[in-house]
Amino acid sequence: MTPSTLCTLILSLLCTYATAQDPGNGTYCNPVINADYSDPDVCAAGPDFYMTASSFSCVPGLPILHSTDLVNWSLIGHALHRLPPYDHFSKVQHGGGVWAPAIRYHNREFYIYYPDPDFGIYMIKAKSPKGPWSDPILVKEGRGIIDPCPFWDEDGQVYLIHAYAGSRAGIKSVLTLHHMNAAGTTVTDAGILVVDGHPSNPTLEGPKLYKRNGYYYIFAPAGGVSTGWQLVLRAKKIEGPYEEKIVMDQGNTPINGPHQGAWVTTTTGTDWFLHFQDKDAYGRVVHLQPMKWVNDWPVIGIDKDGDGKGEPVLTYKKPLAGNTVKTPLTGNTVKTSPSTGNTFKTSPNCNAFSRPLNSDEFNTSTLGLQWQWQANPLSTWGMLSPAKGILRLFSAKLPDSLHNYWDVPNLLLQKFPNDTFTVTTVCKFTPNPGLEGERTGLIIMGADYASLSILKKEKELQLVYSSCKNADKGKAESQQIITTLKDSTCYFRVKITEGAICQFSYSTNGKDFTPIKETFTAKPGRWIGAKVGLFCTRPGQINDAGYADFDWFRIE
């Protein structure tokens, strides 16, 4: 890449961001992260905020994001580089893996409790949010146990609250509270029922446990991901009985849900709540809401009629850059401080370019943090060559009894970064002369998917457009031969417009792109948004593989 091209790319990205979530005028726009970070939870350590989110069966899992102002977020790593049980997740397990986690900073260590709905609740910890993180410890074994949250009380008692997934446990809409040992590594009792959401709060889930002014508070969504509301419960004793109040719903806004999230408090005494909104193919995007206390009940968002129930904001004044929280670093008991209302000072040095990464030039020894595989990866799937500035994907054998690419583990994918964007990549394909059917290309993946790829057919390299509806139900892929390539190098492009409408195109010189006439509407996967990325596969197994060298992957 020439210096002028690099400058143009950087300026384009900066300008795009500065007019979106952070306009630079002291306000912010929701969503603050317009990408699929489902079930966000947030903690603070000193002046820094750290977020994690559900990652399901995508690897690496448990993303770690950092912010100093709750608006601009950077992806700084992942806490889980392989999913246990390791053999189980060597195959694609759509909808399994990491469900809604909780992150806490306690005794100068970071803790993450995450559920796997098929195995139980795990805990990992680290001295630094960038890791290294410990190996997962199974805190409570069981099927259908989800959405855990730890709590360290002032008297030294340690608790764990969680919900249930009806699809696995056979029950839902109830919350269970356990004692844990001092290390937080195992539950020490059978647990008690503390909240029953039947019948007024169906699908009660995602509990987060806090303490303030002598009250224990459980923040938990109910009513379902796309149509629900934010419920808060309070009690003088952690075992209950709990009073309940709906503190935010969609109201007259376009923010459906709004679903589960996290409460944080700044050193100025202002309170904030981060939650997600389900945007179908675009995934579950993250919103930031102001929060205040009225008669020891939280009100989230804007309460226009004064009934104690807020609705989401679309724009609002930014929190301070470099906020810290009133939460002691040794626990999560929030101390009361005088409210300063909605009067904020805006940092003049806001880092506008702090959104999660998307493009990758493949010039270093590590992949960009935005990339995830569909299963625990093998080292032979792909290798970076910094000297050449390429990512080499070796063709991996397709799974036996394959219906389509829904269950192909070696898809290298990333989240949709916006409602509208364009992806362009270039690769040189070197198939194995002794093997038919090797294939590489660009793919939009979800329950429906589409791809543009090079297919080795006899002695030819065919450009093939493929699509598959109801891939998750085992339907077959349809293929259309576009042309025969005279050269092994091809540029792939896909443009995504409003409504997740995707149109692929290709070029042999990187300048003149020929569109594929057919368009494709992206669909979400199982609990995740649609994703975009690369693949290289082969139908059979011999002792050597062909490969595709990708020079770069750019999102505008």
Side-chain angles (χ1 to χ4, degrees):
M1 181 189 299
T2 65
S4 62
T5 303
L6 179 60
C7 289
T8 300
L9 177 63
I10 292 174
L11 286 171
S12 172
L13 291 171
L14 284 170
C15 291
T16 299
Y17 188 81
T19 58
Q21 288 85 353
D22 188 351
N25 61 1
T27 66
Y28 71 89
C29 303
N30 272 319
V32 291
I33 304 177
N34 196 20
D36 187 19
Y37 287 90
S38 179
D39 309 306
D41 194 38
V42 180
C43 73
D48 301 295
F49 297 97
Y50 296 97
M51 179 191 297
T52 191
S54 300
S55 50
F56 299 97
S57 58
C58 303
V59 185
L62 284 173
I64 305 294
L65 296 95
H66 168 255
S67 177
T68 59
D69 63 3
L70 296 174
V71 174
N72 297 286
W73 291 89
S74 299
L75 181 60
I76 62 171
H78 290 82
L80 202 58
H81 294 283
R82 289 197 306 156
L83 302 186
Y86 302 122
D87 287 344
H88 177 78
F89 286 103
S90 66
K91 297 180 181 179
V92 181
Q93 305 289 344
H94 290 288
V98 178
W99 285 26
I103 185 169
R104 292 292 181 267
Y105 187 59
H106 171 69
N107 280 347
R108 300 189 182 279
E109 289 186 298
F110 292 89
Y111 288 77
I112 294 178
Y113 286 76
Y114 77 87
D116 183 313
D118 297 308
F119 297 99
I121 293 170
Y122 293 90
M123 184 272 283
I124 59 175
K125 65 179 183 176
K127 296 288 187 182
S128 166
K130 292 185 178 181
W133 289 82
S134 63
D135 292 333
I137 295 173
L138 190 58
V139 175
K140 182 181 179 182
E141 184 178 3
R143 184 170 170 82
I145 306 168
I146 60 168
D147 303 353
C149 180
F151 180 78
W152 291 266
D153 208 348
E154 296 160 325
D155 60 1
Q157 295 294 309
V158 187
Y159 298 92
L160 184 76
I161 192 169
H162 66 78
Y164 294 90
S167 60
R168 269 84 163 180
I171 63 170
K172 65 177 184 176
S173 304
V174 296
L175 304 180
T176 296
L177 181 73
H178 291 272
H179 282 86
M180 288 197 292
N181 63 353
T185 56
T186 186
V187 298
T188 57
D189 59 19
I192 60 171
L193 174 66
V194 286
V195 180
D196 184 353
H198 303 91
S200 58
N201 291 293
T203 319
L204 181 68
E205 58 185 356
K208 297 295 188 296
L209 185 56
Y210 308 96
K211 191 176 184 181
R212 175 191 182 272
N213 267 12
Y215 281 103
Y216 295 91
Y217 289 91
I218 300 171
F219 285 54
V225 168
S226 299
T227 57
W229 51 88
Q230 286 291 335
L231 184 72
V232 169
L233 307 108
R234 74 177 186 184
K236 285 292 187 178
K237 295 181 179 180
I238 196 167
E239 297 88 357
Y242 281 88
E243 306 171 81
E244 66 182 45
K245 185 178 179 63
I246 297 175
V247 298
M248 180 174 65
D249 61 16
Q250 180 173 351
N252 294 315
T253 76
I255 312 304
N256 60 294
H259 215 65
Q260 75 186 62
W263 161 37
V264 289
T265 303
T266 71
T267 50
T268 62
T270 59
D271 296 289
W272 299 86
F273 187 77
L274 292 112
H275 67 92
F276 79 81
Q277 173 200 11
D278 189 345
K279 288 180 60 178
D280 197 48
Y282 295 104
R284 299 169 176 184
V285 303
V286 181
H287 290 246
L288 175 66
Q289 304 299 335
M291 181 175 132
K292 64 180 180 179
W293 291 90
V294 178
N295 298 323
D296 283 323
W297 285 104
V299 179
I300 302 176
I302 295 297
D303 182 9
K304 294 182 178 179
D305 56 10
D307 65 353
K309 181 175 65 176
E311 64 180 46
V313 301
L314 299 179
T315 63
Y316 206 73
K317 293 182 180 180
K318 284 181 59 179
L320 285 168
N323 282 336
T324 56
V325 295
K326 287 293 181 182
T327 305
L329 298 186
T330 56
N332 60 340
T333 301
V334 178
K335 296 181 179 178
T336 306
S337 57
S339 174
T340 57
N342 187 28
T343 302
F344 305 100
K345 295 179 181 179
T346 303
S347 169
N349 299 314
C350 176
N351 178 12
F353 192 55
S354 62
R355 65 177 177 176
L357 299 172
N358 303 118
S359 299
D360 202 334
E361 296 298 312
F362 304 132
N363 288 334
T364 64
S365 58
T366 57
L367 277 172
L369 296 173
Q370 66 271 29
W371 294 107
Q372 295 174 299
W373 299 97
Q374 283 217 123
N376 284 336
L378 297 176
S379 60
T380 53
W381 288 354
M383 301 178 190
L384 286 157
S385 176
K388 295 182 178 180
I390 60 165
L391 167 66
R392 176 166 292 182
L393 295 183
F394 293 94
S395 67
K397 182 182 177 296
L398 293 169
D400 295 332
S401 304
L402 185 79
H403 296 288
N404 54 56
Y405 272 51
W406 173 252
D407 287 322
V408 173
N410 65 311
L411 302 186
L412 183 61
L413 305 171
Q414 61 171 278
K415 308 172 191 297
F416 277 21
N418 201 11
D419 291 1
T420 60
F421 62 99
T422 300
V423 176
T424 309
T425 188
V426 58
C427 85
K428 182 177 181 181
F429 189 31
T430 307
N432 187 318
L435 187 63
E436 281 294 300
E438 285 185 303
R439 181 178 168 194
T440 188
L442 178 67
I443 190 167
I444 298 286
M445 192 67 203
D448 296 352
Y449 72 81
S451 69
L452 189 60
S453 62
I454 306 173
L455 172 68
K456 187 207 171 193
K457 188 71 171 179
E458 297 178 349
K459 295 183 179 181
E460 294 182 340
L461 294 180
Q462 296 178 346
L463 185 71
V464 176
Y465 174 72
S466 305
S467 63
C468 184
K469 292 188 176 181
N470 298 314
D472 57 329
K473 295 179 174 60
K475 299 300 182 181
E477 176 183 292
S478 64
Q479 295 186 356
Q480 176 186 352
I481 299 173
I482 304 301
T483 189
T484 299
L485 297 174
K486 297 179 180 179
D487 191 89
S488 60
T489 296
C490 187
Y491 295 78
F492 301 106
R493 175 172 287 175
V494 61
K495 183 176 182 180
I496 292 82
T497 55
E498 292 287 350
I501 306 299
C502 310
Q503 183 167 42
F504 286 84
S505 59
Y506 70 95
S507 173
T508 56
N509 59 16
K511 299 177 182 178
D512 305 307
F513 281 82
T514 302
I516 306 302
K517 293 181 180 180
E518 182 179 345
T519 60
F520 166 77
T521 302
K523 299 294 182 184
R526 191 163 296 162
W527 317 130
I528 65 174
K531 303 183 83 171
V532 59
L534 309 170
F535 68 94
C536 189
T537 60
R538 53 176 159 165
Q541 183 69 43
I542 59 174
N543 65 0
D544 200 6
Y547 54 87
D549 289 340
F550 287 87
D551 192 14
W552 40 260
F553 184 97
R554 296 173 186 163
I555 294 185
E556 300 175 29

